[in-house]
Amino acid sequence: MSRGGLADTYRSYIACLNRQDWAALGQYVHDEVTHNARPRGLSGYRAMLEQDFRDIPDLRFDIELLMSDPPGIAARLKSIARRSVRSLDLPSTGSACPSPSTCSTRSRMERSDRSGR
């Protein structure tokens, strides 16, 4: 996959997350996905994301920086959301909570094998 093609696929993956289009997740995430070096599998990864969106209903990911060098890709994501419940061991305050994160991903068989959040 070309640099541009991989970057476009990653942007589509982030859009899929923001739409909470869980049925389409398998188009972007490998069946044997790992997250933070822990095997999750697609169903476990989906369950984790669904819980994140339940805990933080207005969660949205925005790409601040994206670098593609197939098969690798790295992104700096920014999310700003209001936590409705205790999340990540932080109390619910109802105020906006900016949360930058850096992700590294490896493309595998045209689908992403996401290893960070």
Side-chain angles (χ1 to χ4, degrees):
M1 186 178 290
S2 70
R3 286 180 184 210
L6 185 56
D8 288 345
T9 298
Y10 190 78
R11 285 185 192 96
S12 295
Y13 161 71
I14 294 298
C16 174
L17 295 182
N18 287 334
R19 288 190 314 272
Q20 299 179 49
D21 185 359
W22 309 128
L25 192 60
Q27 295 175 30
Y28 307 103
V29 177
H30 195 274
D31 294 335
E32 298 171 12
V33 66
T34 60
H35 179 265
N36 291 338
R38 283 187 254 152
R40 295 273 185 178
L42 180 56
S43 63
Y45 186 66
R46 176 180 171 164
M48 179 194 72
L49 290 169
E50 289 174 333
Q51 185 63 52
D52 288 347
F53 278 88
R54 277 191 297 274
D55 292 347
I56 311 168
D58 62 346
L59 179 60
R60 178 171 177 76
F61 298 100
D62 293 317
I63 300 171
E64 288 189 325
L65 178 65
L66 182 61
M67 298 174 65
S68 174
D69 188 13
I73 192 161
R76 178 172 170 86
L77 302 177
K78 179 180 175 185
S79 61
I80 299 177
R82 290 172 177 75
R83 291 187 316 275
S84 62
V85 298
R86 185 172 187 85
S87 174
L88 304 174
D89 291 327
L90 299 171
S92 173
T93 62
S95 60
C97 178
S99 178
S101 62
T102 303
C103 303
S104 62
T105 306
R106 184 179 69 244
S107 176
R108 183 167 142 187
M109 297 184 340
E110 304 278 329
R111 293 184 291 175
S112 295
D113 182 10
R114 188 162 186 245
S115 58
R117 173 169 154 188

